[in-house]
C-alpha cells in the first residue's frame, strides 16, 4: 500500500491528520516533505479522496504510454525544468 497523508509533528512524534489502516506496531517507510516545498494547488498534490478514486481507475498500459508520449524530450528533463522554474520564482519573490 502506498498512501500520502498529512501529519503534524509534536514533541518528537508525527501525528497523522487522518486515520491509517495499519496493524498495531506495523512498520512503514515514511517520506517527509515540508509543506512549503509545494503550494497547495500543485498538480502533484491530491486529496485522499482523489487517491482512493484513482485506485479504482482501470487505466491500461497503452493509455499510459500515449500520455507519456506527449511529453517532449525526457520525463526527467520535464520535471527538472518545472523545478528550475519554481526555484527561479522563489528567488524572484524574495528580492
Amino acid at each position: 500500500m502506498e498512501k500520502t497523508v498529512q501529519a503534524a509533528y509534536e514533541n518528537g512524534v508525527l501525528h497523522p491528520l487522518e486515520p491509517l489502516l495499519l496493524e498495531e506496531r506495523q512498520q512503514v517507510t515514511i517520506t517527509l516533505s515540508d509543506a512549503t516545498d509545494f503550494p497547495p494547488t500543485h498538480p502533484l498534490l491530491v486529496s485522499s479522496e482523489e487517491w482512493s478514486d484513482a485506485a479504482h481507475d482501470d487505466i491500461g498500459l497503452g493509455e499510459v504510454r500515449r500520455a507519456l508520449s506527449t511529453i517532449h524530450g525526457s520525463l526527467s528533463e520535464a520535471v527538472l525544468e518545472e523545478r528550475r522554474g519554481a526555484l527561479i520564482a522563489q528567488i524572484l519573490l524574495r528580492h
Side-chain angles (χ1 to χ4, degrees), residues 33-83:
S33 175
D34 188 332
T36 59
D37 290 346
F38 296 102
T41 57
H42 193 282
L44 293 179
L45 298 178
V46 295
S47 69
S48 57
E49 292 82 19
E50 288 176 286
W51 277 112
S52 179
D53 291 343
H56 302 294
D57 284 349
D58 187 24
I59 299 174
L61 182 58
E63 188 175 348
V64 172
R65 286 183 174 154
R66 279 190 296 280
L68 291 174
S69 71
T70 64
I71 298 172
H72 301 292
S74 72
L75 180 57
S76 60
E77 280 301 317
V79 170
L80 290 173
E81 187 61 33
E82 181 180 314
R83 289 181 180 171

